[in-house]
Amino acid sequence: MKTIDSNISTQFSSDSVVPYFAVSATFNAVDVLRIWSGYGDITISGNTYTGAGDLLSISQVEESAELKASGVSITISGVPQAILTYALDAQYQNKEIIIYIGVLDKTTFQPSGSPYILFSGVMDIMTINDSASTLSIGVSAESKMIILQRSKSLRYTNEEQKRLFPNDKGLEYVSSLQDKPLIWGAGGSVAAFVSNNSDESNDYARDKYND
C-alpha cells in the first residue's frame, strides 16, 4: 500500500504549495537518468536530479483501486545531440522507470519530505521526433502489473525442465510418449502389442481388447 509523507500531505492541504515531478530511468547499474520538472539540481534520497523545466512533459497518470495495468508517457524536448546518440544505442526496454511527485520547501526550494511514487514500471517504446525547430524523445512505460497479463512461454518439455532444474529427470520421457498408442485398462500382453508401432500389432491388440 502506498503512503504519503506527512510533510507532503500537510503542504498539499495548505493554501500555497510548490509541487514538482521527478523521473528516474535506470538503463543499467551505472547509467541512470534523473531529471525533474524545475530548474537547477535537487537531491532526492541522496541522488541528484537535473532540472529540465518546461522541457519535461508527463502524461496523465491513472491510479485505481482495481488490480489493473496502466501506462504513462514521458517526453523530453530540446535534447542535446549527445543524449540522442546515447538514446539510439541504449538498451532501455523492460528497464525500471519511476515517477515521483513531491513538494519543495518555499525557503530552500529543495524537496520537503520524501516524494510520493506516482508511477513505477518499465520502459517499453521510445520515439524520437527530430524536427526543424526542436528535438524531442518520448518514452512510453508500462506498469509492472502488465507482467500479470502476459502469457507464460514455458513448455512441458525435458529441455525446458532441464533449463530450470538441471538435475530433474521428471520430463525425460515426455517426447517418447506423445505419439505412443495406449489402450486404457488393457492387460500386460495387450500393452506389449500396442507398444509396437506396426498396424498389425495394433489391430491384434484391439481385437483382443474387444474380446
Side-chain angles (χ1 to χ4, degrees), residues 112-197:
S112 176
S114 300
Y116 175 73
I117 297 179
L118 191 61
F119 176 87
S120 178
V122 293
M123 290 179 276
D124 183 25
I125 299 175
M126 181 180 294
T127 56
I128 298 174
N129 181 20
D130 189 2
S131 63
S133 57
T134 185
L135 173 62
S136 64
I137 297 177
V139 176
S140 63
E142 295 178 335
S143 167
K144 292 179 180 178
M145 294 296 297
I146 199 70
I147 298 174
L148 299 178
Q149 298 180 356
R150 292 175 178 166
S151 60
K152 299 294 184 181
S153 59
L154 298 180
R155 298 290 184 267
Y156 287 106
T157 64
N158 185 50
E159 292 75 15
E160 186 71 15
Q161 189 73 358
K162 290 288 188 182
R163 185 182 67 83
L164 298 174
F165 308 100
N167 298 321
D168 195 320
K169 297 183 178 181
L171 301 181
E172 187 173 1
Y173 299 104
V174 166
S175 59
S176 64
L177 295 173
Q178 290 181 358
D179 300 318
K180 189 171 185 178
L182 297 172
I183 297 179
W184 185 257
S189 59
V190 176
F193 278 105
V194 174
S195 64
N196 259 330
N197 288 328

Side-chain angles (χ1 to χ4, degrees), residues 10 12 24 42 44 46 58 67 69 75 85 98 100 109 122 126 130 141 172 181 184 211:
T10 300
F12 272 127
S24 173
I42 61 173
I44 301 175
I58 301 173
L67 191 64
T75 303
T85 303
I98 302 174
Y100 301 93
F109 290 99
V122 293
M126 181 180 294
D130 189 2
E172 187 173 1
W184 185 257
D211 290 343

